[in-house]
Each structure stands twice: as C-alpha cells, then as structure tokens.
Amino acid sequence: MAASQGSSDTPVNIDALLQETRRFEPPLDFVANANVRDATVYQRAHDDPEGFWADAASRLDWFKPWDRVLEWNAPWAKWFVGGQLNASYNCVDRHTKTWRRNKAALIWEGEPGDTRVLTYRDLYREVNRFASVLLDLGVRRGDVVAFYMPMIPELAIGLLACARIGAPHTVIFGGFSAEALRDRINDSKATLCVTADGGWRRGNVIALKDVTDAAVAQCPSIEHVLVFQRLGPDVREVAMEEGRDIWLHEAAESTTRRVVEPEHMESEDPLYIMYTSGTTGKPKGQMHTTGGYLTGVSLTHEWIFDLKEDDVYWCTADIGWVTGHSYIVYGPLANGATVVMYEGAPDFPDKDRFWALVEKYGVSILYTAPTSIRTFMRWGPRYVEKRDLSSLRLLGTVGEPINPEAWIWYNEFIGGGRCPIVDTWWQTETGMIMISPLPGVVATKPGSATLPFPGVEADILDEAGQSVPTNAGGNLVIKRPWPAMSRTIWGDPERYAATYWKRYPGLYLTGDGARRDDEGYFWLLGRVDDVLNVSGHRIGTMEVESALVSHPAVAEAAVIGASDAVTGQAIIAFVTPRGGYTPNDALTAELKEHVVRSIGALARPKKIYYTAELPKTRSAKIMRRLLRDIAEGRVLGDTSTLLDPNVVAQIKDQYEGNEG
Ligand code: WTA
C-alpha cells in the first residue's frame, strides 16, 4: 500500500481497502524500535497502579519527593502528596543542564512564512524574562493570568513563565468573542490579560486587542493588559490605554532580573484552568494541578507517540484548547522534544501548507484531528502528492471518533502505508490521553481508539450500573483516579462532584457513549449529553440556545447537532420568534451574527429553522432527539409522549421544504 497508488485521477477504492485492512498489525521493524516493548506493561499497571504511576512520576525532577502517591477520597484526588516541583523547571531548566541546551525546542512558522527557532537555552532565557515581566506587573504566586493570543512562541513562553512563578494560567481560544472572553476572565478573576496586537489567519488580521479591550472593559479584576507586538503599527495600529496596557517588548527590555528562580510548587498546586463546554450555558473551568498532570502528559506523550530524541513532533491543535496544553506545551517540552508550531490556516497560501511544513521541517510525528483529515480528503490527494512526506513515521488523531474512511485515507496518503496511527480518546477533564493504542504493541483497527492506557481502568455501563455485554452501547466511565485528572471546577466543587461523580457514585462519568468489541477494543460513539462536537470543538447546546434567546426576536430556541460530512456535527437551531418578528433571511443572518458575537465564530449555526412551537414532552422538556431525527432525515419514532404531536409534523414540513 504505497501512497503513490492513488493519484488525483485514480481515486482509491476505500471500500476495498476497508475490507483488506480491517486490522493493522504493527510493522515488525516498528516493534523492535518502540519505547514500550511488550504488553506486560498493562498487567503491571493493573496489578499495582500506584507503583506504576510512581515510576512515571520519577521521570520528572522534584525539589522534594512525595510522601504518598495517592490520597483518594472520591471524588477528591491528590497525587504525589507532599512532593514539590515546578513545571517550567521540568520543561525548560533541566534540559539546559544537558546537551539538549542546543536542541531546538520550538520550531515556529507564522502564516506569512516568517520563522523562529528557539533552542532549550533560548526558551530558558525567554521564559525567565517573561517571568520577570510578570513579577514587575505585580503578578504573584496564586494570581490567575488570562491569555488571548495567536499561535506564537510567546504563548508557550508565557504559560511557562506563569508556571515558573506559580501563577495559574487560563488560555481562552482566540476564536472566542469578547463576551465569551469576558465571562471566562470574570469567572477566573484573572488580574492580568496577555494578548497581541493581532494574528494572521488566512491572510487576514485577527483583531485580538480590540476584542480584549471590549472584554476587559467589563472585567473588574483585570489590572493590566500585556500586549505582544505580532503585527506592528504598519499593519495595524492598536489603542493602548495609559496605565493599563503595556507592550511586552518594552517591559522585557526594561526588566532587570536575568533569572527568576522557579517557585517550589506543591504537587497539588493549580497549574492552569481550562474552560470547557458542558450541558449548561455556563462553561466549566477545569482545574489542573502540577505533579500529577505533568506526570500523565509526559508519560503518555512519550509512549503513545513513541517519542525518540531526534523526532520532529507537530501537533496541529491550537494552544487555546487542552490538546495544545498537554501535547504542544507540557508533555513534549517536559520530554525535551522538538516541537513544531504553526500560526495559521491549512489552506494559506494554498491547500498544501501542512504538507509543505512537514517537508520543510522533516516532521516525523504528526497529531491532528479527523475533521482536518476529512477536509484534506475533500481537497484531494494532489496537494499531498507534490510534497515529500517520507520523514513521517507516526500519525495521531484526536477530537472525535475517526470514521474508517478518513483513517484509511490518512494511512494511505499521509502515512504512505507505513506509519502506525494512534487514535487517542481523551477530554479537557482527563488532562491526558486515556484510550489509545501503544504503537508497536497494540494492533489497530480503523475507527477504534483500542485500549485504555496502562493504569487507566475504563468500563461501559448500562443505566443500572452494570457492565454492558460485548458490542452493546453504554456510558463510558473511568473506574480509578488517574494523575492528570481535573481536580475540580474552578470555584464550584459541588458542580464538579455532581457532573462527573454522581451518576455512578465513585466512578468518573465521561459523557461519551462507547461499545467494546470481542477483543475488548473500545469504539467511541459520540456524546450522550447535550454537548456538540463541531470540527473537534466542544460546544454546549445550551450555550448556543442561551445566546439565541438573548436576542429580542427569539422567544425560544432548541439547538441540535446534525451529522456533517466535514465538521462531524453542524449546529442546527430551531427558533420560535417573538410576536411582531417575521422570520426571513435578514433575521436568520442577524441571529447567526448574534451567536458569533456572544460565543465566537466556532458556534455559528449552519441553519436556522423557524417554528411556531418546539416539540415538548408533557413535562415541558424539549425533545431534542426528535429534532435530530428530523434534521438527519430519519423516520420518527413514537411521538405520543409529546404535548402536541402536530408540532413535529409542522417542523418536518418546514425543514423538508427548506432543504437545498
Ligand atoms: C470527543 C479534546 C472519539 C469525545 C481532547 C470527548 C473523541 C470530547 C476522541 C472531548 C477520539 C475526543 N475518539 N471521540 N479519539 N477524542 N473525543 O474536552 O466526545 O475538547 O468527550 O478534549 O471529544 O473534547 P475536549
């Protein structure tokens, strides 16, 4: 199976390949070379999970060893209790004490094509300087710092600088709107917001500073805004508010400390907060701590990606999401890896940009999302074929279940048929990859994330809490605490306990459905709650609904995710207008913009349908399942429990009338 098989004019027969390659045994030469040599590690971890994780923690440098590996008082976990360490020290300083000081830590490319390479020694210098600026601005251990940044080295540097002085960071993805940014800053009570005068995306300027200004005007906790100059005044002039706004380059120039000693953090001290969508309108700030988190991401990164000293590793996620935190910043840098970071879009200036980057930097490990792979499939293989991808040796995916067609295409056209694919299942809450093959050890099957990582115990339960039989669907749960788990929801421990630990007391409820095949392989079936997955971005239906009903024209709204060939799911809204408002194209456009304003472009509804009423049960619960059936063209099941069964027929007519 060579990549050359499928040129643009001879399309591959995916069906035939699916038959032929149902099961991929690890290539033998890969086994001989893999970091994890055999499957005994699973048994060892199962027999003595605490011993297993303690060994894993020894890969880090600790200022003070821990007294106890785990204190577990469900749902409250403490890992490596009594131990002290610093994440920035582990990701930077310790590498500068070895030959790695001259190894490339970050290879960065901006969208316009500008590049920067930072060795570990460079990173050390930059992190210290940034930390010194933070101290100058009065940031102290325990203060929260918000980041609203493009994908530039200063984002990674800034996070490590926060970790160095013990200030938890919270990164808000640059695609979020001013309102979304404001709400997250206010929930975290951040005192400093770090942003840039802008960033590049598809040749356009992203006006991050303007959005920040609009947000922080309503953030009483913010004392300063630190601004990185990415564009400069020739491209875009930004307003700087006297006394509040500071240019990073000026502050770095005038700061006097050359070295900022890393704080000795307790293992359980917070490292960061990451907001994620749930089933209510209010995003949840997942709190991750230091020792356990770093242990989990470092070990999984080395084993799952089979990291070698000379690898060039590229994760295409944005640092604004957990994937970027764990597998661009903390895992890879703790492991002393060379990390590629790219600022912009995959189709700028042309649709071969990713492959141009792989070719240019000799990327050997590539970690991306199924939605991207499907986009590349749609663009066609000719963008891939003109580039040399022979440096690649391992591929990964994350974000949603990968459909077997995309898996095969990835394997054929990107991997040239020779690269193992690791389909990694995890969540913002889990901090680290939880279900994934270990390359060279676990045979892969297209579409299955395969087996729980050693030390992770997963199960699939029915409503009564019993394990489901082979191939039956149920709720995916995790049965034992793991070191990188979220410890709480920032400021709301009750919600943490109720959301994740109440349904099956003492077990972690993932919110995902899954089944297990006759070999014990896990197949993820998508969310079972009201959380959407659009292009690998997590969005709560409730968030979009509350955005819609905050518009004066909307009386009521129900939002569902309908299957979409490229984005996985697409947002479809059903809206009941208020009296006096006539549904028309102008209103539809305005409502879509309204959602973009309140959340961000990532939540823009693909379609909006108007209905005089929404289908509700007699207890006034909106029947989203029915709406989903209508949207995906399925035969409707029993509608007798509805308050008014006629409503569905009306919506269905309208929906079908609107199609195309
Ligand atoms: C989904 C991203 C199937 C899942 C790291 C999960 C996946 C949610 C996979 C978490 C995968 C992620 N196979 N589904 N390999 N990876 N998911 O918090 O529904 O942004 O609950 O974390 O993405 O999304 P989050």
Side-chain angles (χ1 to χ4, degrees), residues 475 488 538:
N475 292 315
T488 188
R538 224 169 117 167

Side-chain angles (χ1 to χ4, degrees), residues 323 399-401 423-428 512 524 527 533 538:
T323 303
E400 60 179 305
D423 173 0
T424 63
W425 177 89
W426 58 297
Q427 308 176 299
T428 305
D512 275 29
L524 279 303
R527 301 288 305 191
N533 191 328
R538 224 169 117 167

Side-chain angles (χ1 to χ4, degrees), residues 276-277 321-323 327 367 370 397-402 422-430 432 435 447-449 508 510-513 523-529 531-533 536-538:
T276 189
S277 295
W321 306 107
V322 75
T323 303
Y327 297 107
Y367 190 28
T397 75
V398 60
E400 60 179 305
I402 180 165
V422 289
D423 173 0
T424 63
W425 177 89
W426 58 297
Q427 308 176 299
T428 305
E429 293 86 341
T430 69
M432 65 180 217
I435 304 182
S448 169
Y508 171 75
T510 63
D512 275 29
W523 297 75
L524 279 303
L525 303 172
R527 301 288 305 191
V528 295
D529 53 11
V531 172
L532 306 179
N533 191 328
H537 297 156
R538 224 169 117 167

Side-chain angles (χ1 to χ4, degrees), residues 394-407:
L394 189 127
L395 306 173
T397 75
V398 60
E400 60 179 305
I402 180 165
N403 48 313
E405 290 76 8
W407 200 104

